[in-house]
Amino acid sequence: MTTSAGAPMPTNETSETAGARGPLLMQDYQLIEKLAHQNRERIPERAVHAKGWGAEGTFTVTHDISDYTCAAIFSKVGNSCDILSRWSTVAGELGAADSERDVRGFSIKFYTEEGNWDVVGNNTPIFFVRDAYKFPDFIRTQKRHPRTNLRSPEAMFDFWAAQPESVHQVTILMSDRGIPVNPMHMHGYGSHTYSMWNAKGERHWVKFHFRCQQEIRNRTNEEAERLIGQTRESFQEDLFNAIEGGQFPKWELNIQVMPEADAETCGFNPFDLTKVWPHGDYPLIPVGMLEFNRNPDNYFQMIENAAYSPSNKIPGIGFSPDKMLQARVFSYADAHRYRLGTHYEALPANAPRAARLHHYHKDGSMRFFPQLTGHPDAYYEPNQYEESARPDPSVMEPPLRIHGDADRYRQDEADADYVQPRALYLEVMDQAQRDRLHANMAGAMAPCSDSVKERWYAVLEKVHPDYAAGVRNAVEKDAVAISVTDETPTKVAE
Ligand code: NDP
Ligand code: HEM
């Protein structure tokens, strides 16, 4: 054992004191160092998605998609790269129970030879809102009330009732898929529309789907409540033990593809994050397989320090006009600089593994890596040194035609907002699933005021009258059950 400066340590048990009974000597610097380190072991938890579980693995390309993208990783079937996952709940803090009803984050970092590509998605193909202005308010409603310091169903349903576009995601959240058994039994989605461009400079719009190769498995509220009573760490236990025991979870990466020009004519806004692209119109195209086969040796180093960002893209894969995605391109790197520090990308979880690094960022916290610009005097660019790093115009994205006036546009198409949740409710779910949806939603909104309940029923009514009636009946049935339970002791006393 050594000090952190490398000197041998004589003891790790006994403080240096004046006499056998003390007091302590201030020169026992290693004790001070030890206590000081303990005080600095926590960093800010993520503002959202604080509780998470992760693993390392390999991505292998199984199908040729070079018609759509010139990304080197997709240039040949059989190509592979390291990957790092982090799955998470959204609202709970770092110590939250794993089996709570919530959307799950689904983040994958692909360490490709052209740099790190991050897909920072969810286990749902859509989201609650479609404009970034609404994201911080939405998250407020998911976190704690400033006065009670409790989660507030009143705030959640008040907000959702004012955003009809949220009903699609709330339906998924309150459905069976709102509590997966663990991260290994759920699909993942990039959710946003992204773009790909090929060697000819042709652009396509794409959606990413990670199809779970394990069975989709979920828990009911009652099962989850029982489980949380036994363990709050069920996802971590299941994932860690599966990988440790040689059972490696897998997902197949698929894409949906839309030619660039079709975005103008396809009949809906393909950049609206509250809508899916129907499979019938845009079939899934298989791309490759992700297999997670290594538990990180140090959770904090690889998972807590992992910094995912939709801004991490590689040549051949690009953004889209989706305004939520555009806002996220800014937000994540900003969050990482606050949570982890200036050079967070030099940490082992975030540093490129397969790509050469040649950037000109200079000093600041965590500047522990050498200058990588190819020449000792090339700390700025352009410069006179031939061997120094230069930008490469061949990886430039093809130009994107934009039209329209700069303005603040509201996408008011309330009727269209109900079409897809209606398809989910009527055509994808069977009656037993609908019944559980009604009961789950009723349980979640039971504490809300009548005015919030009525506003939310009005939103459900527009999806389908059976949906509104089903939830209303379940709320009223629960209310009767609660009042009967409340009255029982009085009756006994009489
Ligand atoms: P499909 O019948 O081809 O697809 C339905 C999809 O819904 C399947 O992927 C299915 O997953 C998934 N699903 C089943 N139950 C739930 C649930 N409780 N929560 C979330 N997803 C669920 O139809 P369409 O593509 O025409 O879509 C119909 C509706 O299905 C959409 O309006 C949307 O609400 C929902 N959906 C669509 C997706 C898409 O990308 N098109 C993706 C996910 C949901 P599985 O494949 O495991 O059976
Ligand atoms: C985490 C912002 C929408 C998925 C985060 C974090 C921020 C953030 C600041 C914490 C990052 C960190 O500290 O490491 C936003 C903003 C959004 C938005 C501003 C909308 C404008 C979304 C959407 C998805 C998503 C639509 C999924 C499709 C995630 C995931 C994480 C995360 C998975 C956790 C990443 C990890 O595992 O470390 N988000 N988010 N977010 N967000 Fe978002």
Side-chain angles (χ1 to χ4, degrees), residues 44-50 52 85-90 103-107 119-122 124 126-129 131-133 135-136 139 189-192 194 273 303-304 306-308 323-325 327-328 331-332 334-336 339-340:
E45 65 176 39
R46 290 165 176 81
V48 282
H49 296 262
S85 70
R86 184 173 180 275
W87 299 284
S88 49
T89 43
V90 178
V103 169
R104 264 58 183 181
F106 199 107
S107 305
V119 180
V120 198
N122 279 334
T124 62
I126 48 151
F127 199 66
F128 297 90
V129 293
D131 195 304
Y133 261 97
F135 182 78
I139 293 301
Y189 302 88
S191 308
H192 295 281
Y194 288 86
L273 181 57
I303 306 301
E304 195 58 16
Y308 292 93
K323 39 194 170 182
M324 286 283 283
L325 173 60
R328 294 181 71 204
S331 177
Y332 287 65
D334 182 57
H336 303 328
R339 187 170 69 86
L340 298 167

Side-chain angles (χ1 to χ4, degrees), residues 90-158:
V90 178
E93 292 97 356
L94 205 50
D98 292 350
S99 289
E100 288 175 1
R101 181 171 294 281
D102 200 349
V103 169
R104 264 58 183 181
F106 199 107
S107 305
I108 310 288
K109 196 178 283 290
F110 296 78
Y111 299 93
T112 86
E113 67 197 83
E114 291 177 302
N116 293 350
W117 169 44
D118 292 356
V119 180
V120 198
N122 279 334
N123 69 337
T124 62
I126 48 151
F127 199 66
F128 297 90
V129 293
R130 56 175 164 239
D131 195 304
Y133 261 97
K134 296 180 183 174
F135 182 78
D137 295 279
F138 163 63
I139 293 301
R140 292 246 167 101
T141 69
Q142 298 295 301
K143 295 279 189 177
R144 291 170 189 274
H145 186 282
R147 194 159 72 88
T148 63
N149 199 32
L150 297 168
R151 305 279 297 278
S152 170
E154 177 82 357
M156 296 176 200
F157 282 91
D158 180 26

Side-chain angles (χ1 to χ4, degrees), residues 1-298:
M1 182 171 177
T2 68
T3 67
S4 43
M9 286 274 285
T11 174
N12 192 32
E13 289 187 24
T14 42
S15 329
E16 197 173 2
T17 50
R21 296 190 170 184
L24 276 179
L25 292 188
M26 208 179 161
Q27 68 177 17
D28 189 355
Y29 183 70
Q30 292 313 324
L31 174 64
I32 296 170
E33 179 91 350
K34 190 169 182 175
L35 298 176
H37 263 277
Q38 185 185 28
N39 290 345
R40 287 162 181 77
E41 280 176 3
R42 302 285 170 271
I43 57 174
E45 65 176 39
R46 290 165 176 81
V48 282
H49 296 262
K51 181 74 188 283
W53 325 276
E56 298 184 63
T58 309
F59 169 65
T60 308
V61 177
T62 53
H63 293 74
D64 182 4
I65 56 162
S66 56
D67 277 355
Y68 305 121
T69 178
C70 58
I73 180 70
F74 297 118
S75 62
K76 198 157 61 73
V77 170
N79 277 0
S80 66
C81 68
D82 283 359
I83 47 178
L84 177 72
S85 70
R86 184 173 180 275
W87 299 284
S88 49
T89 43
V90 178
E93 292 97 356
L94 205 50
D98 292 350
S99 289
E100 288 175 1
R101 181 171 294 281
D102 200 349
V103 169
R104 264 58 183 181
F106 199 107
S107 305
I108 310 288
K109 196 178 283 290
F110 296 78
Y111 299 93
T112 86
E113 67 197 83
E114 291 177 302
N116 293 350
W117 169 44
D118 292 356
V119 180
V120 198
N122 279 334
N123 69 337
T124 62
I126 48 151
F127 199 66
F128 297 90
V129 293
R130 56 175 164 239
D131 195 304
Y133 261 97
K134 296 180 183 174
F135 182 78
D137 295 279
F138 163 63
I139 293 301
R140 292 246 167 101
T141 69
Q142 298 295 301
K143 295 279 189 177
R144 291 170 189 274
H145 186 282
R147 194 159 72 88
T148 63
N149 199 32
L150 297 168
R151 305 279 297 278
S152 170
E154 177 82 357
M156 296 176 200
F157 282 91
D158 180 26
F159 181 84
W160 287 331
Q163 311 293 330
E165 75 258 34
S166 70
V167 71
H168 196 186
Q169 177 82 323
V170 177
T171 302
I172 295 178
L173 172 64
M174 297 296 165
S175 79
D176 290 347
R177 297 199 181 188
I179 314 182
V181 295
N182 62 39
M184 297 178 286
H185 293 278
M186 60 191 200
H187 298 313
Y189 302 88
S191 308
H192 295 281
T193 298
Y194 288 86
S195 57
M196 285 185 163
W197 73 90
N198 61 19
K200 289 187 259 177
E202 296 158 340
R203 180 183 284 104
H204 289 82
W205 305 117
V206 293
K207 295 247 191 214
F208 298 111
H209 296 247
F210 298 90
R211 302 281 304 168
C212 182
Q213 300 300 290
Q214 299 67 244
E215 195 190 348
I216 297 291
R217 288 175 55 205
N218 308 299
R219 286 192 206 284
T220 62
N221 278 352
E222 296 71 27
E223 288 166 350
E225 278 164 21
R226 267 199 307 278
L227 181 65
I228 291 171
Q230 293 158 2
T231 173
R232 299 171 62 76
E233 315 296 337
S234 51
F235 280 36
Q236 180 68 20
E237 288 165 5
D238 289 356
L239 179 68
F240 185 87
N241 291 335
I243 292 176
E244 217 57 6
Q247 287 179 329
F248 303 143
K250 291 186 187 163
W251 281 263
E252 185 181 64
L253 173 60
N254 284 255
I255 52 174
Q256 288 179 292
V257 176
M258 180 188 290
E260 180 176 0
D262 286 16
E264 305 292 330
T265 55
C266 73
F268 63 99
N269 175 0
F271 310 116
D272 174 358
L273 181 57
T274 64
K275 309 276 192 305
V276 299
W277 294 1
H279 290 128
D281 300 335
Y282 300 94
L284 296 180
I285 300 170
V287 176
M289 194 64 77
L290 296 89
E291 181 188 83
F292 293 92
N293 45 29
R294 292 190 302 282
N295 282 312
D297 286 335
N298 186 298

